Amino acid sequence: MKSVGKKVKGTLWIKIDSEKPQIEAIRIAADVIKKGGLVAFPTETVYGLGANALDSNAVASIFQAKERPADNPMIVHIANRKDLCRLARSVPHKAEKLTARFWPGPLTLIVKRSSLVPDVTVAGLDTVGIRMPSNEIALALIRESEVPIAAPSANRAGKPSPTTAQHVIEDLAGRIDVILDGGPTRVGVESTVIDMTKRIPQILRPGGTLFEELKAALGEVMLHPATLSEKQAATLRARAPGMKHRHYAPKAEMILVEGDPDKIVKRVKELAALSMADGRKVGILATDESISNYDGDVLRSLGSRSNMEEVARNLFRLLREFDEEKVDIIIAEGFPSRGLGLAVMNRLRRAASFNILRAG
Ligand code: TXA
Ligand code: MG
């Protein structure tokens, strides 16, 4: 067999076409999955760290590689709708409606699990999160592996989710067998997680599928209070175990400034000036509209306020860039919590450890 990819600390890094994935590369990765190994792969949202969802040992090694707390369940990825019925004890009518409308895509459905799903995959819960990703590499990998693939985001626990293969290598080289590099991910924030076991479905994590779209499809949808929370979720009953863990956190201290765009700019400028006067290295997470107003050590724009898709796509990459630049403090602009802004603000608030400042 001709050699494919290159090794980084023992991890095989394979470049692959995201539209027409080369089957040879998929087969190499699928063999690793079948043998109980770990493969990082792109989805439309972020890179996932995959293993055979039905193999307890394989799933246990995901927790190890990521240093993920054992009480945080995995999302199980499927490529065929029939697998939802095999993995779920029952599929509520509303869940079927959502799969027809939003799959493949960034939507994870929480349903009661069947006996096929091992305890370790779902951290002992009686439910399982299932999604069908819309990335061709992800779908080909699941099909060729012939098993559902459990995959959390492919970052070290607590770090921003990876949106490029480079991010995965930074966090996990030497800890995983293969990475399929399909380039930067399209959506940039993770899937929306919705609990379908409730009479009124409840969003546990806002993400790439919009609350507004889910509401239009179902009529009634609730947002778990922690999704909008401006405080640490430990004070709330944490339904998604992931809610209570430290998340998306850059190494630097971070302050999130929320409010009207004009007032935000004024407060960010004041904060930056104060921090610089203290001799701190200041990073500012700005937008195209505001960036020229600022003075700081590392200035980055998430994109235009009028293009939240772009903002979401750039978010995790820029948080990682501030770490590389070793800034002492990140001052970030907030956004309105609607559309994709809901997911973006959910991540920003957690990244800032709920260190939020209201600008007027
Ligand atoms: O877009 C995504 O969802 C990415 C890609 C790789 O698919 N995956 C992802 O996985 O973000 P992870 O493990 O980083 O986040 C999954 C979230 C966690 O907050 C977890 O607690 C929650 O979903 N979750 C998973 N299964 C659950 C369950 N049975 N009940 C409640 N929450 C669950
Ligand atoms: Mg994650």
Side-chain angles (χ1 to χ4, degrees):
M1 189 177 67
K2 73 177 187 326
S3 74
V4 179
K6 64 172 177 186
K7 287 247 172 157
V8 183
K9 293 189 196 159
T11 296
L12 183 60
W13 182 347
I14 308 177
K15 297 244 193 274
I16 180 166
D17 190 300
S18 59
E19 256 120 65
K20 289 208 171 73
Q22 294 84 345
I23 190 67
E24 310 80 58
I26 294 289
R27 285 203 180 117
I28 291 170
D31 278 342
V32 169
I33 297 279
K34 284 179 182 169
K35 289 184 178 129
L38 299 183
V39 174
F41 61 96
T43 77
E44 74 280 27
T45 56
V46 300
Y47 275 75
L49 176 55
N52 178 353
L54 307 182
D55 175 343
S56 300
N57 291 326
V59 173
S61 60
I62 298 180
F63 283 96
Q64 259 179 9
K66 276 192 60 127
E67 297 174 18
R68 180 180 178 99
D71 64 351
N72 200 357
M74 309 271 160
I75 293 173
V76 176
H77 297 67
I78 61 175
N80 186 326
R81 271 154 220 284
K82 277 191 222 133
D83 284 335
L84 173 61
C85 308
R86 290 174 58 222
L87 298 167
R89 205 163 71 207
S90 61
V91 180
H93 173 67
K94 286 178 182 171
E96 266 171 27
K97 206 163 161 181
L98 293 185
T99 67
R101 168 83 178 75
F102 297 104
W103 278 5
L107 182 66
T108 298
L109 304 179
I110 306 292
V111 292
K112 295 279 182 197
R113 69 158 152 153
S114 77
S115 56
L116 210 61
V117 183
D119 282 338
V120 55
T121 305
V122 292
L125 298 176
D126 66 349
T127 56
V128 58
I130 302 177
R131 95 171 181 101
M132 186 188 290
S134 68
N135 179 291
E136 290 303 326
I137 299 170
L139 289 169
L141 177 66
I142 300 163
R143 280 192 211 108
E144 200 63 26
S145 302
E146 298 177 316
V147 287
I149 294 186
S153 50
N155 51 289
R156 289 274 189 118
K159 294 242 291 175
S161 293
T163 54
T164 66
Q166 187 65 48
H167 298 157
V168 178
I169 289 293
E170 276 162 30
D171 282 14
L172 299 173
R175 292 169 166 250
I176 63 178
D177 299 297
V178 174
I179 167 144
L180 294 175
D181 178 355
T185 58
R186 179 172 58 80
V187 178
V189 292
E190 303 88 340
S191 63
T192 300
V193 177
I194 185 165
D195 185 348
M196 302 306 297
T197 67
K198 296 263 173 94
R199 192 182 63 80
I200 302 177
Q202 187 177 42
I203 294 177
L204 303 181
R205 178 180 72 181
T209 300
L210 306 185
F211 168 65
E212 293 86 345
E213 293 179 297
L214 289 164
K215 209 168 152 66
L218 290 176
E220 277 182 312
V221 183
M222 302 211 318
L223 273 173
H224 190 285
T227 60
L228 287 168
S229 158
E230 298 182 14
K231 285 202 287 278
Q232 207 67 265
T235 54
L236 292 156
R237 211 171 110 251
R239 274 284 289 149
M243 284 176 187
K244 66 176 186 284
H245 298 295
R246 192 174 149 83
H247 247 146
Y248 315 113
K251 290 183 200 115
E253 179 190 344
M254 181 165 157
I255 301 181
L256 177 61
V257 183
E258 299 185 11
D260 272 13
D262 290 346
K263 289 179 180 146
I264 290 177
V265 171
K266 193 162 162 276
R267 284 315 280 274
V268 170
K269 280 169 87 165
E270 287 166 10
L271 282 170
L274 280 172
S275 302
M276 300 230 288
D278 279 349
R280 304 177 80 191
K281 184 167 180 182
V282 176
I284 301 179
L285 192 55
T287 50
D288 289 353
E289 288 81 359
S290 64
I291 191 159
S292 64
N293 293 292
Y294 297 137
D295 192 12
D297 298 291
V298 183
L299 304 182
R300 293 280 186 274
S301 174
L302 283 163
S304 168
R305 281 188 172 270
S306 63
N307 185 350
M308 287 307 290
E309 280 78 19
E310 185 186 15
V311 168
R313 196 154 44 234
N314 287 324
L315 177 64
F316 290 143
R317 178 174 56 81
L318 294 183
L319 289 177
R320 282 179 181 255
E321 280 183 29
F322 286 121
D323 276 349
E324 271 161 41
E325 299 279 352
K326 297 196 165 56
V327 300
D328 299 309
I329 182 166
I330 302 168
I331 307 167
E333 294 185 7
F335 296 86
S337 285
R338 54 169 187 269
L340 258 185
L342 185 65
V344 167
M345 286 305 283
N346 173 275
R347 307 307 186 270
L348 278 172
R349 285 173 173 171
R350 279 160 183 74
S353 298
F354 298 93
N355 198 0
I356 299 167
L357 206 102
R358 283 220 163 271

